[in-house]
Amino acid sequence: MRDVRRKVRRAQTIVPFGVGGILDLRGESFVAADVRSWARYAEPVDSPRLAKKLGVEGFRSAPVIPSGKAAFATRLGPSYVRFPKWLFCPQCRDMKFWRLDRERELRDKQPTCERCAGKPQLAPMRFIQVCRAGHMADIDWRRWAHSRGEGHSQRQCQVRRLRFVATPQSSGLEALRVVCAVCKAGRNLAGISQKSILKQMGLACPGTHPWQSETDEAESCEETPQAVQRGASNVYFPITHSALDIPAPAGLPEDDELTQRVVNHQLWPSFISEDGSPIADSYRGVIAHQCGVSQEFVQSVRRRHAAEAASTPSAADADDDLSIAEWAAFSAPESVTDSKTFTVRRTRLGVDHDDPGSMQELAADISAVVVADRVREVRALEGFTRYEPNSGEGEEGESGRVVSVNTQARALWLPAIETYGEGIFIAVDEERVSAWERIPSVRDWTRRIEGNLGASFKADRLRAKSGPELLPRFVMLHTLAHQFIRQLSYDSGYNAASLRERVYARSHAPGSEHPPQAGVFIYTAAGDAEGTLGGLVRQGQPPNLVETLIRLLESAQWCSQDPLCADSTGRSLANLNRAACHACTLLPETCCEIDNSLLDRTLLIGDGEVPGFFRGVVQAALEESAGAIDLP
């Protein structure tokens, strides 16, 4: 059996090696091609709510090749193209431009140098070029080597025989030179990271992606190309969305069940978008036939949908709809029955009247506890940006332009994965949190954070999670979720990177009838058996949960970087955090849904100026600890 070493996990086809992402694997470098390369054997992933939000027909997941069968599998998954194509030999330093026909000759072998003894493996060049429009290409190294040519022979040389040499006389990028093997023209890499260096050489963006074939038409791109390192963090910014699989509440009337069946049909988004066109009649007939209803019923659902869309406030968006359905399911777990993907049950903290005062205070702040024995999450990749993350303003903004997972046509489906796990949902008392938000010092403190949010390039994307107005409860609950994950990583047996958060604390547009939200859901995000070990469900049962919450509030009082952390008036990018740093609050990027932003321990536990929501719990715990000390 031959050894096929180029393997990725299914979850990695979304992040970090999704469409447009660079994969470094044992000295080789590849880039993931768009979804046109996916085989017809890709497995469908069902998530009607998320599909409606993103305006697609559905999702597909890469097929899994059984262990030990990679050499004989006939099913094909996402394609990865060798990039950059400019390679060099680490011994003789000759550079070679690798073409697709050579790749077909290699099959599953690494490219090697044919001139050197032992045939050493060729290494990819370190620098590439990208632009804000999302294009990526090799740097024209022939042009770079001859950009400072002397004499007619060097300036007119068109030979592509290059060498990538390292000189011992200097250090850093000045020691690396690209030299023409014929005319001896050369230039070192000093200054290659300057923003205008490629433009000064007369190099323009080709308007292509590495996986495009010669028959694909290149875009006309006027963006200035930028030279970046192949493994730099600004080469790839994936745009992902996730949703929990929330079934329809039990006990719906038959008409509502039929309506739900029609709305969840895969052709429903196309039927809505093509309203009034001749093809809409065909869509209506197919939907009616497959859902077992009349065409008049489908049309009535369409009219009802249009009326609801017209009456919805403009500030509401699809993120709002997702959070509302999830909040309703967790608030009333009894309404969800007979579901194989969403099994929840209400539990309690287990605090009695004779328990310590800190537990009594905590029980007054927590209004509901729900454990999820089984929950399903669908995570989809919508696209990506390069060089700069997208601000949410579309192509008109100054940030990076979003590139779709299908670079030649509108994406009818998106790559996605589904994960199964467990979780804990905690809701805080609405009356108490509303009264706390009305405290002037709390409002003023949050307004300062919102001022930084309004000036941030991530404002639109963050407000999609927090709502049109940043509420104190959102920052407080988001910080609670981070502290909860950190504490659960000690108590539950899961590592922090295997846990994820969902914060339910968004504000709603004026006049909205949506209920207020105030809760967090911590759940496993691992795509394998680690997501269902039972550790979270155990920690959600009494007396484990109350002890975990008390411990996390006590640990949130101090940080190894205090007083710098506690007294901070602005940290992280765009000053979107206050008392929060890597030593006390921040988590791995896979855990947080808003990039470790809008965090502040002050609103959680309080300080001399601002009362934290759980200040009473912390003070009672401190008094109990002091009383337990035996003084001489």
Side-chain angles (χ1 to χ4, degrees), residues 11-82:
Q12 293 176 324
T13 61
I14 305 300
V15 174
F17 307 134
V19 175
I22 293 181
L23 167 65
D24 285 316
L25 190 64
R26 298 191 181 186
E28 297 181 278
S29 180
F30 303 90
V31 63
D34 64 1
V35 295
R36 292 180 299 158
S37 65
W38 284 47
R40 58 188 179 92
Y41 297 103
E43 301 172 6
V45 178
D46 182 51
S47 182
R49 296 171 56 245
L50 188 58
K52 180 180 179 182
K53 168 191 171 181
L54 300 179
V56 295
E57 296 179 359
F59 306 98
R60 298 184 188 179
S61 182
V64 174
I65 299 177
S67 177
K69 303 294 184 181
F72 307 101
T74 57
R75 295 184 299 176
L76 298 177
S79 297
Y80 288 82
V81 180
R82 188 177 301 279

Side-chain angles (χ1 to χ4, degrees), residues 137-362:
D138 282 88
I139 295 176
D140 189 344
W141 293 113
R142 189 204 64 80
R143 189 81 167 267
W144 178 271
H146 295 84
S147 60
R148 293 182 177 177
E150 298 178 357
H152 178 77
S153 60
Q154 290 187 354
R155 288 194 296 267
Q156 299 299 323
C157 180
Q158 300 296 324
V159 180
R160 299 180 64 172
R161 289 181 54 193
L162 305 174
R163 300 184 71 239
F164 184 50
V165 299
T167 58
Q169 290 80 10
S170 56
S171 60
L173 293 179
E174 293 181 357
L176 302 176
R177 292 177 58 85
V178 179
V179 181
C180 178
V182 177
C183 68
K184 306 305 179 183
R187 180 177 179 179
N188 61 35
L189 301 188
I192 193 173
S193 298
Q194 297 178 6
K195 290 187 176 181
S196 59
I197 191 69
L198 298 182
K199 183 178 181 181
Q200 293 173 2
M201 293 172 48
L203 294 177
C205 178
T208 59
H209 303 282
W211 57 82
Q212 288 182 324
S213 63
E214 297 179 355
T215 59
D216 292 335
E217 183 179 357
E219 300 180 20
S220 177
C221 182
E222 299 180 356
E223 292 287 346
T224 302
Q226 310 290 340
V228 297
Q229 292 199 51
R230 189 182 72 251
S233 59
N234 62 346
V235 170
Y236 184 61
F237 296 98
I239 301 175
T240 60
H241 304 269
S242 65
L244 299 180
D245 189 2
I246 306 295
L252 286 177
E254 181 180 359
D255 182 68
D256 288 345
E257 291 182 358
L258 295 177
T259 300
Q260 193 72 18
R261 189 185 308 171
V262 170
V263 172
N264 290 340
H265 194 276
Q266 61 179 0
L267 293 181
W268 178 255
S270 302
F271 175 57
I272 295 296
S273 61
E274 299 292 342
D275 183 49
S277 65
I279 198 174
D281 296 336
S282 301
Y283 285 142
R284 183 172 60 245
V286 174
I287 295 174
H289 175 72
Q290 295 184 356
C291 294
V293 297
S294 64
Q295 296 192 26
E296 291 75 12
F297 181 82
V298 176
Q299 189 62 27
S300 66
V301 175
R302 170 69 184 88
R303 288 192 297 267
R304 194 187 317 167
H305 177 275
E308 293 176 354
S311 62
T312 302
S314 59
D317 55 19
D319 277 319
D320 199 346
D321 296 336
L322 292 179
S323 68
I324 288 172
E326 294 172 6
W327 173 259
F330 285 120
S331 301
E334 301 83 6
S335 63
V336 182
T337 58
D338 300 330
S339 175
K340 297 181 180 179
T341 60
F342 190 75
T343 306
V344 293
R345 51 190 171 89
R346 192 183 299 273
T347 183
R348 59 189 183 89
L349 286 176
V351 177
D352 298 326
H353 296 290
D354 55 349
D355 285 328
S358 59
M359 294 186 178
Q360 301 286 348
E361 286 284 342
L362 183 63

Side-chain angles (χ1 to χ4, degrees), residues 19 34-36 382 403-413:
V19 175
D34 64 1
V35 295
R36 292 180 299 158
E382 181 184 14
V403 180
S404 173
V405 294
N406 188 335
T407 55
Q408 294 297 316
R410 175 181 175 271
L412 300 180
W413 58 272

Side-chain angles (χ1 to χ4, degrees), residues 481-501 522-526 530 536 585-592 596:
H482 277 234
Q483 297 291 341
F484 201 5
I485 290 177
R486 292 171 72 96
Q487 189 63 45
L488 285 172
S489 66
Y490 302 124
D491 298 343
S492 67
Y494 290 108
N495 62 73
S498 298
L499 303 177
R500 286 174 64 90
E501 67 173 9
I522 308 301
Y523 61 103
T524 55
E530 188 181 358
L536 288 191
T585 308
L586 302 189
L587 293 172
E589 294 181 358
T590 55
C591 302
C592 182
N596 276 323

